[in-house]
Every structure is written in C-alpha cells, then in structure tokens.
Amino acid sequence: MTDFIILAAGNGRRMNSCATNSSKLFKKIAGLSIVSHVINNCRNVNSGNVIIVTQEQYKEREEFRLADKIAIQKAPLGTADAVKAALPFVESESAIIICGDSPLIQADDLRLLADTETSNVSIVVMQIPNDMLDSQYGRVFVDSSEDVRIVEYNDLSDEQKRYNIVNSGIYKFKTLALLENIEKIKLNADKNEYYLTDIFQFIKSGVNIITAKNYKSFLGINTPRDFVIAEDIMQNRLRDKFINNGVTMLDPPSVYLSYDTVAEPLSTIEQNVIIKGGVKIKAGAVIRSFSYLENCVIGKNAKIGPSAVIRDSVVEEHAEIGNFVEVKRSTIGNSTKSKHLAYIGDTDVGENSNIGAGTITCNYDGRKKHKTKIGSKTMVGANSSLIAPVEIGSEAVIAAGSVITKDVPDKTLAFGRARQENKTRKEIA
Ligand code: UD1
Ligand code: CA
C-alpha cells in the first residue's frame, strides 16, 4: 500500500491569470479543475489514503471532497514544508508525492510507480525537448558515485540549463526516509522556501531513477502558456480515445470535449462541435457542425444540428433537432422533430411530434419559469408561441402563428390568431 500526498497549497505566482482569492489549481482543463484531475487519478489507483495539502482558505472547496484527508499548510513555505503538513496523515509504509499542478499524469503512470520496488526513494525524471529548455523544471544530476542532486531552475548556470533531464515532481518515498530526512532541509533564503528537492542531499543510498516514457504526461502547469499546452494535450487524448473506440470525427482538432464526455461507437461528431460537461451521445447519433451540447443525453440515431444548442435535456432515439433550435431543460420524445429556428425550454414533448419553425415556448414570466407539455403525434404549426404553463395533448394540431394561452386537449385543432381578412381598396378608404 502507498499513500498519496498531493501538494496543492502554492500561490501559483507565475500564473498571472488567477484572481488573488483563487488558485491556478482550480482552473479547468477539459471541464475539470487541474487539481481534481490529479485527485481522480490517485483515487483510481485504489491504494492508500489520498492526502491533499492546501491552504486554510480552500479547505472547504468541493474539489477536495474526494480526498481522504485534508492537510493545511499555514504559509506557502515551499514543497518540503507542504510535505511536512501531510506527514501526520500518512499511514502506509510508502507515500507517492505528486504536484497538484500536474493534471496530465494518468492513473496507469501512478500505478506503475506504486508497484515499483523502492528502497528509499524512486524519482520520476523526464527528458524534455529542446524547445522546452526554458521551462522552469529542476534538473536532475547523477554524479559518478551515483549521488543524485536536483538543482532548481533559478539556481542553474547557463550551461546547466541546456541539460534536458528534469524532475517531474513525482516521487515515491519510503515513509521512514521522509520522516528521517525532511527536517534536515534548510530554508532557501532567496525564495524563503524549503525545497523538497534538497532532500537528496541527505538521502545518499537507495535512490532509484525512473525515466518517464512520455514527458507530456508529467507537465506542470506554471504559466498561462503551460495551461494552453495542457488543454491541447488533454483534448487530443480525449479525441483519440473516441476515434479508437469507433466514433467518427470528421475534423477532430475542431471538436472540444469534456473529461466526462461519453460517445458510443458508431456515433458521428462533425466539425466545430463543442461538448461541455455531462454529455452522453448514444450509438448512431449524429452531431452536426457548430452544435453546442451541455449536460444532455442524445439518444440512438438522433440527429442534432447543424448549429443546435442543447442543455440539461434528453433527446430520445431518432429525434431530430435542427439548425438554430435551442433545447433547454426539456425532454424530446422518440422520433419527434424540430428542425428549424425554435426555442424549447422547460418542456416535455412526446413521441412523433413535430415542432414547426419559429415555435417558442414562452417559459419565463419575468419572475418564474413554467413548464410546457406536448403530447405525441402532435403538430405545432410554425411561428407559434406557447405561453407556459400550458399543456397540449396528443394528436393535436396548433395552427401556424398561434399564441396558445390555454390547454389544448387530445385530437384537437387549436387556432390562437386573428382570422385573416382581405379588404378591397375601397373598404380601406
Ligand atoms: C517543482 C520542483 C521542480 C520540478 C517541478 C515539476 C521543488 C522545489 N521543485 O517546481 O524540481 O521540476 O516541480 O513540475 O519542489 N506547493 C505547495 N506549497 C508550497 C509551494 C508549492 O503546496 O509552499 C505546491 C504547488 O501548489 C504545486 C506544487 O507544490 O502544485 C509544486 O510547486 P511549484 O511552485 O509549482 O514548483 P515548481 O517550481 O514547478
Ligand atoms: Ca509546478
């Protein structure tokens, strides 16, 4: 068994794009906060306690509910000081330490590290490409007597900066080795921080170096630029997962996915589609270009878009939601169609109904939202306004251009518009 210590109490000073009362770790990548990616991956290893180190002001954050223990670091005095705050919660004989700003590490990477025989410490290093030599990783040097030394970026000479073996910030320590050595680390006066990486001055044996196969999984998010790179890597991973699983994507780079998107094999996602959190796309469904989906289920063989917006809704099998149709907090029954220019909000529609172009469910009276119900095999004529709350039965017909304020029973034709009158020129005069 190994515990996990996630370091998440830093100030993120290099990330200029954070409000002072927030942390870079709560910024979202593929719809999930950076630190939640790390917590989820640790949880998925199914080993010991997941301990999060944070600042007092963030201890109630929702993101941390999935951790087993919350340790508070009183002041951001560096990574070694953060580890000290976590040590009272460590119960296993070893602990994996991981930076909370490394959302791309996957559970498989962590499982591998958890299973690595470690006598005192295993440290994960990575080889970065030349165009990343100015990213601020600590460099890992091993001298002829196999002593490991980590030099932080700010302390590197120009020559050392060209060295491309860097510290990923992930280690597996024997708990005993941590307890025996962490107090020996001295304050770095320039930075007013205790560097965890200085612990290698005191642990002289049993240090095992593991070289990561893919450096991209170990990127730390320090700057706004890193944030963009991480999002890009995460999106590519998600796209590849779906493509390999049998989802047809016509132009993968133009599709934005969420960490929790589900798209079944045999579904199709066309170009320029945005998929936010909580979306499930069933087999055979087609999401056409420029559509925006959020928190919704798209049933088997349903057709969405182009340019449809669907939120907090269920669209059942074979239904069709066409261009410039917005569906919000609604259920669209099997084979029901609304193919052009409509707003369907707070509405339940039965099966095989047709909602004509320009139909608006008027669900908001200025203070409250109200529900609309439409039965099965009902035809709502074009340009109708359905003033909610209102119930329209099955096999009903609403005449085009109606303003419907009263319920419409089953098998009924409802007119809610002024009758047309044709007048001659004489009659007008
Ligand atoms: C750290 C390593 C560096 C490594 C890099 C990998 C140290 C001193 N340096 O540098 O060798 O190459 O990670 O990404 O460890 N944190 C706290 N409390 C603090 C300071 C930081 O909890 O007082 C947390 C941060 O929230 C962050 C993590 O520790 O999640 C790492 O801190 P950061 O300042 O980003 O360290 P790096 O400079 O990236
Ligand atoms: Ca970092």
Side-chain angles (χ1 to χ4, degrees):
M1 286 277 264
T2 185
D3 291 341
F4 295 90
I5 301 176
I6 303 173
L7 308 182
N11 274 336
R13 256 172 269 115
R14 288 163 285 184
M15 194 84 173
N16 306 322
S17 57
C18 275
T20 45
N21 60 352
S22 191
S23 156
K24 67 175 180 180
L25 301 176
F26 303 132
K27 283 177 82 88
K28 290 184 176 169
I29 291 195
L32 184 72
S33 70
I34 291 174
V35 72
S36 296
H37 281 285
V38 181
I39 297 173
N40 285 355
N41 286 327
C42 293
R43 284 242 78 93
N44 286 339
V45 178
N46 269 327
S47 192
N49 284 335
V50 175
I51 305 159
I52 187 107
V53 185
T54 184
Q55 300 177 19
E56 177 72 30
Q57 60 171 323
Y58 301 132
K59 68 176 185 210
E60 307 285 350
R61 292 280 303 208
E62 207 189 315
E63 286 86 344
F64 297 152
R65 298 226 176 105
L66 274 179
D68 296 307
K69 313 273 179 193
I70 297 179
I72 305 296
Q73 187 187 15
K74 292 202 180 77
L77 289 176
T79 43
D81 185 66
V83 171
K84 275 187 226 166
L87 279 176
F89 299 100
V90 174
E91 290 169 348
S92 302
E93 57 158 17
S94 64
I96 288 180
I97 297 177
I98 173 169
C99 296
D101 66 354
S102 306
L104 298 168
I105 303 171
Q106 290 162 299
D108 286 350
D109 301 319
L110 293 173
R111 207 168 284 123
L112 220 62
L113 184 58
D115 292 343
T116 300
E117 277 299 321
T118 298
S119 87
N120 274 327
V121 47
S122 297
I123 162 170
V124 180
V125 305
M126 56 198 196
Q127 189 169 357
I128 52 171
N130 284 344
D131 61 359
M132 279 181 62
L133 289 176
D134 62 349
S135 51
Q136 299 183 3
Y137 292 104
R139 276 16 181 206
V140 182
F141 300 99
V142 184
D143 69 17
S144 50
S145 54
E146 306 227 317
D147 272 359
V148 173
R149 189 165 56 104
I150 301 181
V151 182
E152 287 307 308
Y153 186 82
N154 288 331
D155 303 324
L156 292 170
S157 66
D158 284 347
E159 198 194 327
Q160 285 174 322
K161 279 181 185 161
R162 289 201 292 275
Y163 183 67
N164 63 0
I165 306 292
V166 308
N167 174 21
S168 72
I170 295 151
Y171 331 78
K172 179 182 174 189
F173 277 96
K174 271 281 158 58
T175 308
L176 211 59
L178 264 181
L179 288 168
E180 280 174 359
N181 295 290
I182 200 147
E183 295 292 347
K184 298 178 190 163
I185 296 171
K186 291 187 194 67
L187 186 74
N188 179 303
D190 287 349
K191 282 279 184 158
N192 200 33
E193 284 190 7
Y194 295 90
Y195 290 167
L196 179 60
T197 42
D198 284 349
I199 204 165
F200 295 95
Q201 295 169 10
F202 311 108
I203 303 180
K204 290 289 180 196
S205 65
V207 181
N208 173 24
I209 292 195
I210 303 170
T211 305
K213 278 201 205 82
N214 185 352
Y215 75 92
K216 287 184 177 173
S217 293
F218 297 86
L219 293 180
I221 316 291
N222 297 316
T223 63
R225 183 85 208 132
D226 295 333
F227 184 67
V228 173
I229 293 169
E231 178 76 54
D232 193 48
I233 294 172
M234 193 71 88
Q235 287 297 331
N236 279 325
R237 268 190 199 167
L238 290 166
R239 292 170 192 135
D240 284 349
K241 179 179 88 179
F242 291 125
I243 292 165
N244 294 335
N245 204 23
V247 175
T248 300
M249 282 200 189
L250 303 188
D251 179 28
S254 72
V255 174
Y256 177 93
L257 298 156
S258 279
Y259 77 101
D260 62 350
T261 303
V262 177
E264 291 183 356
L266 303 180
S267 58
T268 299
I269 304 174
E270 291 190 353
Q271 300 91 334
N272 296 296
V273 169
I274 310 285
I275 299 178
K276 297 288 200 162
V279 172
K280 188 166 186 183
I281 300 168
K282 300 273 188 80
V286 179
I287 315 299
R288 296 203 172 116
S289 293
F290 301 105
S291 294
Y292 177 101
L293 310 183
E294 184 173 348
N295 191 34
C296 60
V297 178
I298 307 299
K300 276 190 188 163
N301 301 310
K303 291 195 177 78
I304 306 297
S307 300
V309 175
I310 319 257
R311 282 173 54 188
D312 305 323
S313 294
V314 174
V315 177
E316 291 176 354
E317 293 180 21
H318 292 281
E320 293 184 31
I321 301 297
N323 50 167
F324 304 105
V325 175
E326 177 175 354
V327 177
K328 196 167 155 190
R329 288 189 302 275
S330 295
T331 306
I332 307 294
N334 279 11
S335 304
T336 283
K337 296 184 175 66
S338 178
K339 299 193 58 161
H340 326 268
L341 301 155
Y343 171 61
I344 304 173
D346 296 297
T347 300
D348 292 330
V349 191
E351 301 180 0
N352 284 295
S353 287
N354 195 302
I355 314 281
T359 296
I360 304 286
T361 54
C362 308
N363 60 335
Y364 187 50
D365 64 9
R367 280 175 301 150
K368 271 192 179 162
K369 301 274 169 72
H370 300 280
K371 299 231 21 144
T372 299
K373 251 185 135 167
I374 301 172
S376 296
K377 297 188 186 164
T378 282
M379 164 75 200
V380 178
N383 211 31
S384 296
S385 301
L386 311 178
I387 315 286
V390 70
E391 223 172 301
I392 294 157
S394 291
E395 297 181 50
V397 175
I398 308 290
S402 291
V403 176
I404 298 295
T405 56
K406 289 187 291 200
D407 290 354
V408 178
D410 292 350
K411 302 188 179 176
T412 305
L413 168 66
F415 280 90
R417 66 187 190 213
R419 213 170 263 280
Q420 180 176 338
E421 286 181 46
N422 293 343
K423 295 203 170 176
T424 61
R425 227 177 243 211
K426 241 194 210 158
E427 285 168 324
I428 300 166

